[in-house]
Amino acid sequence: MIAAQHITPPSAFTRIAVLVERERKTRFSGGKLGYLWAYITPVVWIGLIVALFWFLQRTPPIHVRAEIFIATGILPYLIFRQTVTALSRTLTANRYMRYLRPVSNSDIMSATMLLEAFNMLTTAVLIFGAITVLFGSALPASMPGVLFSLTLAWGIGCGVGRFVAAAGLLSDAFARAVPLILRPLFWLSGIFYTATDLSQELQNLLWYSPFLHITELVRQSYFLGYTSPIASVWYPIAVGAVFFLASVPLEIFATRRRIMRGRL
């Protein structure tokens, strides 16, 4: 009689590493450019807005080139939006993985977060590096400050995205409405302006936009001599933490109810 062999289940680290690799290989699959679309998209966004600046003969409100001014504004927003979008889709795209024990919703979402962190770092290096080389822009005054500020954008994206993913398990209508909800945030992120250009009334109103704080933090770290009148580190952290913590009981509730949007 042959004794049953005990198979040790893979560790959480191993599961997440495998899921990250699977996500990297399957995202944007099928086209010739494949995964490069993850980096092409932000480049195209920045290029179009810079071209619009040139066409309208606008100049940045601070003494820097338009290319780097737009990049420091739009990159935090794109990092946030892409992280939210990726997380909002990941449970549906990987729904069959949940049948492979002990893979969980948290494993799938954690893998997506880590992949977006890698994308964030790669995109920032490519875009800032290209602008520095091609247009002769100065290097960041504080490289750690820029990296930390972009990490804040990713962190809020993780918190909001995890909440959206968990809520999407309960409501398909909510998941479909998310892109519409995110669109106005583009204008509240300080892409085309700085807080110093705003009146005191607008500063007080837009203070509640965590994305303006992040954009101001990026520019404060990138441009020597620029000091934001409103930038706060703790407010974006608090917003991201609230959404992340709120997503945990929501995801547990949805999992126990065995509700999965798009499950066959």
Side-chain angles (χ1 to χ4, degrees):
M1 182 174 180
I2 301 175
Q5 184 178 6
H6 177 70
I7 301 176
T8 304
S11 65
F13 177 82
T14 302
R15 294 197 305 270
I16 292 174
V18 171
L19 289 170
V20 168
E21 183 63 15
R22 179 182 184 275
E23 179 81 358
R24 187 188 66 81
K25 289 182 177 180
T26 57
R27 191 183 296 186
F28 306 112
S29 61
K32 292 183 179 180
L33 295 176
Y35 194 76
L36 287 177
W37 281 112
Y39 310 118
I40 293 174
T41 300
V43 172
V44 171
W45 273 60
I46 293 171
L48 289 175
I49 296 177
V50 169
L52 182 63
F53 255 60
W54 289 344
F55 178 76
L56 298 176
Q57 297 183 342
R58 286 199 57 186
T59 57
I62 55 180
H63 189 61
V64 297
R65 292 189 62 96
E67 299 84 7
I68 194 62
F69 180 78
I70 294 299
T72 54
I74 200 170
L75 194 56
Y77 170 79
L78 288 178
I79 289 170
F80 161 77
R81 184 180 177 114
Q82 178 55 38
T83 304
V84 173
T85 301
L87 282 167
S88 67
R89 297 171 178 172
T90 192
L91 292 182
T92 301
N94 296 283
R95 59 187 180 274
Y96 298 114
M97 299 297 294
R98 297 175 65 249
Y99 294 103
L100 302 177
R101 300 298 179 186
V103 176
S104 65
N105 287 338
S106 293
D107 292 336
I108 295 171
M109 289 188 285
S110 295
T112 301
M113 292 177 197
L114 289 176
L115 182 59
E116 290 307 318
F118 174 78
N119 290 343
M120 171 200 73
L121 182 60
T122 305
T123 303
V125 170
L126 289 174
I127 290 177
F128 290 147
I131 292 176
T132 300
V133 172
L134 296 176
F135 300 100
S137 297
L139 292 172
S142 172
M143 187 69 75
V146 172
L147 181 59
F148 176 76
S149 302
L150 294 178
T151 302
L152 284 181
W154 170 78
I156 290 187
C158 290
V160 174
R162 199 182 194 285
F163 180 85
V164 169
L169 299 177
L170 300 170
S171 171
D172 184 73
F174 177 81
R176 294 177 183 274
V178 168
L180 298 177
I181 298 172
L182 294 180
R183 285 177 185 174
L185 300 179
F186 180 84
W187 305 103
L188 302 178
S189 303
I191 295 172
F192 306 103
Y193 54 86
T194 64
T196 54
D197 300 319
L198 305 175
S199 64
Q200 188 62 52
E201 291 76 12
L202 280 176
Q203 284 187 21
N204 294 338
L205 179 63
L206 293 181
W207 187 93
Y208 294 97
S209 168
F211 314 104
L212 181 57
H213 286 268
I214 292 175
T215 302
E216 290 289 286
L217 288 168
V218 171
R219 287 175 173 158
Q220 187 171 260
S221 300
Y222 207 104
F223 304 131
L224 183 64
Y226 178 70
T227 302
S228 173
I230 69 167
S232 168
V233 171
W234 296 109
Y235 181 62
I237 291 176
V239 171
V242 166
F243 275 100
F244 191 94
L245 293 175
S247 73
V248 175
L250 194 63
E251 187 264 327
I252 293 174
F253 173 75
T255 301
R256 288 179 177 175
R257 289 276 304 270
R258 294 184 179 180
I259 299 173
M260 170 59 71
R261 180 168 59 91
R263 193 180 77 175
L264 298 179

